[in-house]
Amino acid sequence: MTYEFMQQYWWFLVSLLGALLVFLMFVQGANSMIFSLAGDDMERKMLVNSTGRKWEFTFTTLVTFGGAFFASFPLFYSTSFGGAYWLWMLILFSFVLQAVSYEFQNKLGNIFGPSLFQWFLVINGILGPLLLGGAVATFFNGSNFTVNKMNITDSLQPVISQWANASNGLDALLDPWNLVFGLAVFFLARILGILYIINNVDDANIRARARKRLVYAAGVFLILFLAFLIRTLFKEGYACDPATGLVVMEPMKYLHNLLDMWYVLIVLLVGVCLLLFAIYKTVTNAAYIQGIWPGGIGVVLVVLCLLLCAGWNNTAYYPSNIDLQSSLTLANSCSSEFTLTTMTYVSFLIPFVLAYIVYAWRAIDKKKIDREEMATDDHTY
């Protein structure tokens, strides 16, 4: 295992965690529709309990995603999480609202009633995917930061990375293409949320409403995603010379990446087909409730390929719009060879962790959520 191989390997793992995070945001997508999918308090209770049994998977994956970035590419962590902290603080605040909402909406002494906390879930369901999508879009559109590693010798202010303005990350939301991708992720989360609810909640009324909203969500998502993808493939990208480390602009860089890495392109197309199949089958067949699985696998594959396209094939995965040579690449932002080697051996335990997650998921989902359970079970949200 060479140093370069471990850099590529850890970018793959970080990308896989990011892809799994997007899939698990079906929790946010479903929460954003609590009041539109449910017709009464009992139906809202079923929806809240359905997502409430999975929200910890999403939150844990978000934390793991950040931790993996910190360990493998610490310069990105210090630049983005440390510089664009207002954007990340808003994301984390929305997830804190989610945790508080689940735990307190039906607690004794809640003077505000459950509706307020359910609206907090809606806020998280909107802001979480939108802001995370906007943050990921900066991998292709760049951010406003500078990096000077010589600052580490400054005993008074040893800060390597600095944000170029006082917005500290909120400027990402001023780029319309970042917002386009953020909205695409939001509607993708809604698609996954609908597919999950149809599978997990055994209620004919909820499933009928969900199928109607799936058509709308899928249509808007496809328009937004295709617009962002086509624009990204044909715009200039950030290429890195592996010999000198110099970052230059290259026309249609991301299209070239997919053509050079044909295997990534094939996986991307397979992922798109799986998602489209899940949507079509769910809309056209009222008896089909398994769409979350082909759709979820498709989303993981598509997001994984997009992130690989952003970092592999000598590409600057976190470009700087202020100073092109401050852009972060796998080579100039990764941990030491010793750290990556040690972490690589630890990563061999990942299959055991995934096996436990599958086991826990199956144990939770042994029985579909229905009205009878909500009326008789004392351990509900």
Side-chain angles (χ1 to χ4, degrees), residues 345-367:
Y345 288 119
V346 174
S347 71
F348 295 156
L349 297 174
I350 290 177
F352 297 98
V353 177
L354 292 177
Y356 172 76
I357 292 174
V358 171
Y359 171 78
W361 189 295
R362 289 175 62 89
I364 293 173
D365 280 358
K366 280 184 177 179
K367 182 179 181 299

Side-chain angles (χ1 to χ4, degrees), residues 315-326:
T315 309
Y317 70 86
Y318 198 51
S320 171
N321 293 327
I322 300 298
D323 176 20
L324 198 58
Q325 302 315 312
S326 291

Side-chain angles (χ1 to χ4, degrees), residues 10-289:
W10 272 99
W11 182 253
F12 172 83
L13 290 183
V14 168
S15 300
L16 181 59
L17 284 171
L20 290 173
L21 175 61
V22 173
F23 161 63
L24 290 170
M25 290 183 73
F26 67 77
V27 173
Q28 278 65 40
N31 284 344
S32 70
M33 298 179 288
I34 288 175
F35 292 96
S36 60
L37 287 182
D40 54 37
D41 291 341
M42 177 56 74
E43 291 182 354
R44 275 195 294 274
K45 187 173 183 179
M46 286 192 287
L47 293 177
V48 169
N49 278 270
S50 177
T51 60
R53 296 176 183 182
K54 300 295 192 308
W55 75 269
E56 290 169 323
F57 288 107
T58 310
F59 193 83
T60 302
T61 305
L62 175 63
V63 174
T64 306
F65 175 70
F69 245 133
F70 171 74
S72 55
F73 300 99
L75 189 53
F76 169 81
Y77 190 89
S78 65
T79 302
S80 181
F81 290 84
Y85 57 83
W86 279 121
L87 178 59
W88 290 106
M89 286 294 288
L90 281 176
I91 293 172
L92 291 175
F93 176 73
S94 74
F95 278 88
V96 170
L97 277 182
Q98 178 195 58
V100 170
S101 300
Y102 280 122
E103 296 301 327
F104 288 96
Q105 60 183 286
N106 288 313
K107 290 288 186 182
L108 293 176
N110 174 18
I111 61 175
F112 302 105
S115 293
L116 176 64
F117 290 100
Q118 288 170 359
W119 276 110
F120 286 165
L121 291 178
V122 174
I123 292 173
N124 169 253
I126 296 173
L127 288 183
L130 177 64
L131 295 178
L132 275 173
V136 171
T138 60
F139 287 3
F140 300 95
N141 297 324
S143 296
N144 298 312
F145 65 90
T146 58
V147 175
N148 185 357
K149 294 185 178 180
M150 292 304 297
N151 285 348
I152 197 67
T153 62
D154 188 343
S155 59
L156 297 179
Q157 195 175 10
V159 179
I160 295 177
S161 306
Q162 293 182 330
W163 213 254
N165 53 55
S167 71
N168 292 107
L170 294 180
D171 50 331
L173 302 179
L174 298 179
D175 186 326
W177 286 106
N178 290 347
L179 287 177
V180 166
F181 191 72
L183 287 170
V185 173
F186 166 68
F187 282 100
L188 176 61
R190 282 200 158 191
I191 291 171
L192 292 171
I194 289 171
L195 295 176
Y196 171 74
I197 291 298
I198 289 175
N199 176 260
N200 190 248
V201 178
D202 186 8
D203 186 87
N205 293 330
I206 292 177
R207 285 174 173 172
R209 294 190 198 100
R211 283 190 168 86
K212 291 180 181 179
R213 283 159 180 76
L214 180 58
V215 176
Y216 166 74
V220 177
F221 163 72
L222 288 174
I223 293 172
L224 293 170
F225 178 72
L226 288 176
F228 180 85
L229 181 63
I230 293 171
R231 185 256 181 181
T232 299
L233 293 179
F234 288 96
K235 80 180 188 76
E236 285 189 317
Y238 303 84
C240 175
D241 187 332
T244 63
L246 190 68
V247 178
V248 297
M249 301 303 296
E250 178 182 321
M252 296 187 291
K253 169 62 176 171
Y254 301 107
L255 177 60
H256 294 161
N257 282 357
L258 287 179
L259 295 178
D260 292 341
M261 301 184 294
W262 53 268
Y263 43 90
V264 174
L265 176 59
I266 292 175
V267 174
L268 175 67
L269 294 177
V270 169
V272 170
C273 291
L274 284 173
L275 178 60
L276 293 178
F277 167 79
I279 295 171
Y280 174 79
K281 188 76 171 178
T282 303
V283 171
T284 58
N285 187 350
Y288 184 72
I289 63 172

